[in-house]
Amino acid sequence: MINKCLFPVAGYGTRFLPATKAMPKEMLPVVNKPLIQYGVEEAHDAGMRRIAFVTGRTKRAIEDHFDITYELEDQISGTAKEDRLGEVRALIKDCTFSYTRQIEMKGLGHAILTGETLIGNEAFGVILADDLCVGTSAGVMSQLMAVYDKYQCSVVAVEKVPAQEVDKYGVVAGEFIEEGLMRVSDMVEKPPADQAPSNLAIIGRYILTPDIFAILRETAPGKGGEVQITDALLAQARQGKVIACRFAGQRFDCGSVDGFVAATNYFYDIYKKTQG
Ligand code: G1P
């Protein structure tokens, strides 16, 4: 049973400037809930209770969000408005939240390695909150968990993307071993379209076995001069220890304005229905 989920949240969110000048991009609301809460709810739905953040300067609002706000809560206590805090209160009650800071931005692989102090020697989930995912029946992290339970190795979520977009993602290739499950033999970070091994792109959901930390320590900077998790996973893939899962559901790239607006429209429809 995997109990820990790591959220790398130190990135700047430059695509959303000026909104993200003094506010973490993870706190941008999709309708009335910050992006990061969708991710933590997905981890919680997958049974994870120890939430670990690799954070950075200007990200304090995330810590405050997963804590009690005494004055506000006292003000609205006993009123209808209190219901709006129900979901986040449930998370705060069930989970613990730990934080460590990534002092320098040296890539996603470096961010995950920074989280080792919070994870230790056990398998763990990773959620990139920018990728907002809606699972068809179960959440995407729950789907990855089921794959991990069976294969006991690292698992990445993948989806097909148009050929002209593969250069935005880690891309995998390998052999399908079950419906929707591929044993990965090759993976490349952000390849040019004509060099991509497939059009199956990694989206921001991973389950990683803890040997990934030792591999990351030895991983030289790759694409963009940054330590890439994709490069470290390739070392595991070469031993047959990475499964790619074509998840059932939908994913919104909330790191882009278009994806953010699409997610907002999707959740606004749901919001309208719940408002009667
Ligand atoms: C990161 C990973 C990439 C993955 C992507 C998913 O890239 O490096 O392999 O496909 O997340 O969103 P980033 O979007 O941080 O550039």
Side-chain angles (χ1 to χ4, degrees), residues 108 128 131 168-170 189-190 202-204 206 228-230 251:
L108 179 57
L128 309 184
D131 282 328
K168 296 200 301 198
Y169 301 96
E189 179 68 8
K190 304 195 173 88
I202 302 172
I203 60 108
Y206 306 77
Q228 299 294 347
I229 189 63
T230 307
R251 162 253 180 185

Side-chain angles (χ1 to χ4, degrees), residues 156-223:
V156 297
V158 294
E159 73 175 6
K160 263 195 179 156
V161 297
Q164 68 274 16
E165 286 181 25
V166 288
D167 63 354
K168 296 200 301 198
Y169 301 96
V171 177
V172 301
E175 201 181 319
F176 277 96
I177 50 172
E178 265 188 55
E179 175 76 28
L181 295 187
M182 170 191 273
R183 194 175 292 281
V184 178
S185 54
D186 193 15
M187 49 207 306
V188 192
E189 179 68 8
K190 304 195 173 88
D194 59 349
Q195 286 166 35
S198 78
N199 62 346
L200 280 178
I202 302 172
I203 60 108
R205 300 290 181 279
Y206 306 77
I207 286 178
L208 301 174
T209 52
D211 54 309
I212 200 74
F213 294 125
I215 300 171
L216 278 167
R217 261 189 285 283
E218 301 301 318
T219 301
K223 193 87 187 180

Side-chain angles (χ1 to χ4, degrees), residues 14-258:
T14 47
R15 274 186 283 182
F16 282 90
L17 283 171
T20 48
K21 186 165 178 283
M23 182 179 90
K25 63 174 172 168
E26 294 79 9
M27 290 303 295
L28 291 172
V30 172
V31 186
N32 57 351
K33 197 192 285 187
L35 252 184
I36 189 69
Q37 191 178 327
Y38 289 90
V40 173
E41 285 175 0
E42 187 184 325
H44 180 263
D45 286 345
M48 295 161 162
R49 296 291 181 267
R50 301 192 52 190
I51 307 299
F53 293 94
V54 176
T55 181
R57 295 176 285 279
T58 79
K59 300 283 181 163
R60 282 194 193 159
I62 296 174
E63 290 183 50
D64 291 339
H65 187 70
F66 294 106
D67 197 353
I68 289 175
T69 314
Y70 280 108
E71 201 177 317
L72 166 79
E73 298 196 26
D74 187 54
Q75 276 287 325
I76 66 173
S77 167
T79 74
K81 290 177 186 164
E82 210 176 356
D83 290 349
R84 297 182 193 161
L85 292 177
E87 285 173 329
V88 73
R89 277 183 175 166
L91 294 176
I92 293 167
K93 183 168 148 284
D94 286 352
C95 301
T96 63
F97 299 87
S98 324
Y99 302 84
T100 192
R101 279 198 183 192
Q102 187 182 10
I103 308 294
E104 291 175 285
M105 301 299 127
K106 293 186 191 166
L108 179 57
H110 176 256
I112 291 172
L113 182 55
T114 303
E116 182 181 18
T117 185
L118 303 176
I119 301 295
N121 189 28
E122 58 189 275
F124 61 104
V126 176
I127 290 184
L128 309 184
D130 277 0
D131 282 328
L132 206 175
C133 292
V134 186
T136 302
S137 46
V140 176
M141 187 52 83
S142 300
Q143 295 176 38
L144 298 195
M145 195 83 110
V147 178
Y148 175 80
D149 281 346
K150 183 161 177 193
Y151 290 95
Q152 301 287 311
C153 67
S154 291
V155 187
V156 297
V158 294
E159 73 175 6
K160 263 195 179 156
V161 297
Q164 68 274 16
E165 286 181 25
V166 288
D167 63 354
K168 296 200 301 198
Y169 301 96
V171 177
V172 301
E175 201 181 319
F176 277 96
I177 50 172
E178 265 188 55
E179 175 76 28
L181 295 187
M182 170 191 273
R183 194 175 292 281
V184 178
S185 54
D186 193 15
M187 49 207 306
V188 192
E189 179 68 8
K190 304 195 173 88
D194 59 349
Q195 286 166 35
S198 78
N199 62 346
L200 280 178
I202 302 172
I203 60 108
R205 300 290 181 279
Y206 306 77
I207 286 178
L208 301 174
T209 52
D211 54 309
I212 200 74
F213 294 125
I215 300 171
L216 278 167
R217 261 189 285 283
E218 301 301 318
T219 301
K223 193 87 187 180
E226 298 187 328
V227 178
Q228 299 294 347
I229 189 63
T230 307
D231 294 341
L233 277 164
L234 178 59
Q236 292 186 332
R238 287 197 172 120
Q239 300 172 359
K241 290 183 176 161
V242 179
I243 305 277
C245 169
R246 286 190 67 178
F247 61 95
Q250 206 179 339
R251 162 253 180 185
F252 299 97
D253 174 13
C254 288
S256 77
V257 172
D258 287 349

